[in-house]
Amino acid sequence: MSLPSAPLPPPEDLLIDLRSGALRAATPLPPLPNRTLLLSLDDIEEGAHGLTAAAGTLLVVCERGVRSTLAARLLRAEGLNASAYEGGVPALLAAWEHKP
Amino acid sequence: MSLPSAPLPPPEDLLIDLRSGALRAATPLPPLPNRTLLLSLDDIEEGAHGLTAAAGTLLVVCERGVRSTLAARLLRAEGLNASAYEGGVPALLAAWEHKP
């Protein structure tokens, strides 16, 4: 019996991928319909993300879910609706594999 | 004498890549420092891009520069500072190859 995988993100959420180009090339995201923003934790820490509430619900993902948790906290501190995808890209790939 | 290539985008510009996941996987963008937003022309036509002036200068890219020109026009019509990267991804890759 495999572990229940996390649900896939709602398609209208803006997915934010914090991973470096090299990690993204090595492990591409699944072909989700979501808009996806590629930027670094530095961009967020320096307030250079350019995001506003108009971007909608933000779902942050990284290699394991650690930096994305910090990034989501920083974005929430700016009043944005942000959360981290638990377990990061590996969990997202598992959710894609086990999608109904 | 090779054709002078277009300049690389300023690093603070938000690069918008309209290409499908398959095209992006087949021809990855060069490792530019820019924030990069992956979305479709439909997202822009339907006003579901979530972009505001806070996102800064927008530079749209696609396979050849045709759809990006339309996308940039639509975004400008919404008052956003958007332009298309002439010649699309091939020109961007050439600019990266010939960067000083």
Side-chain angles (χ1 to χ4, degrees):
Chain A
M1 194 201 77
S2 69
L3 272 173
S5 58
L8 283 175
E12 66 280 6
D13 282 14
L14 173 61
L15 207 55
I16 297 179
D17 189 348
L18 295 181
R19 297 175 303 158
S20 68
L23 276 177
R24 276 191 276 113
T27 314
L29 290 178
L32 297 168
N34 303 62
R35 294 161 298 140
T36 305
L37 178 62
L38 314 177
L39 78 171
S40 65
L41 184 55
D42 288 348
D43 287 323
I44 292 175
E45 286 174 330
E46 290 156 17
H49 50 73
L51 293 160
T52 66
T57 302
L58 311 175
L59 186 61
V60 193
V61 67
C62 69
E63 306 86 279
R64 288 176 298 123
V66 176
R67 281 181 315 132
S68 53
T69 301
L70 170 58
R73 198 177 308 142
L74 290 170
L75 293 168
R76 282 197 301 273
E78 294 188 36
L80 296 172
N81 178 357
S83 60
Y85 192 84
E86 209 176 321
V89 169
L92 189 58
L93 289 170
W96 175 261
E97 288 308 318
H98 300 111
K99 67 184 177 306
Chain B
M1 194 200 78
S2 71
L3 271 173
S5 59
L8 282 175
E12 66 280 6
D13 282 15
L14 173 61
L15 208 55
I16 297 178
D17 189 347
L18 295 181
R19 296 175 304 160
S20 68
L23 275 177
R24 276 190 276 114
T27 314
L29 290 178
L32 298 167
N34 302 63
R35 294 161 298 142
T36 305
L37 178 61
L38 314 178
L39 80 171
S40 65
L41 184 55
D42 287 348
D43 288 323
I44 292 176
E45 286 173 331
E46 290 156 17
H49 49 72
L51 293 160
T52 66
T57 303
L58 311 175
L59 186 61
V60 193
V61 66
C62 68
E63 309 86 280
R64 288 176 297 123
V66 175
R67 281 181 314 130
S68 53
T69 301
L70 169 57
R73 198 176 307 142
L74 290 170
L75 293 168
R76 283 197 300 272
E78 293 187 35
L80 296 171
N81 176 359
S83 61
Y85 191 86
E86 207 176 319
V89 169
L92 189 59
L93 289 169
W96 175 260
E97 288 308 316
H98 300 111
K99 68 184 179 307

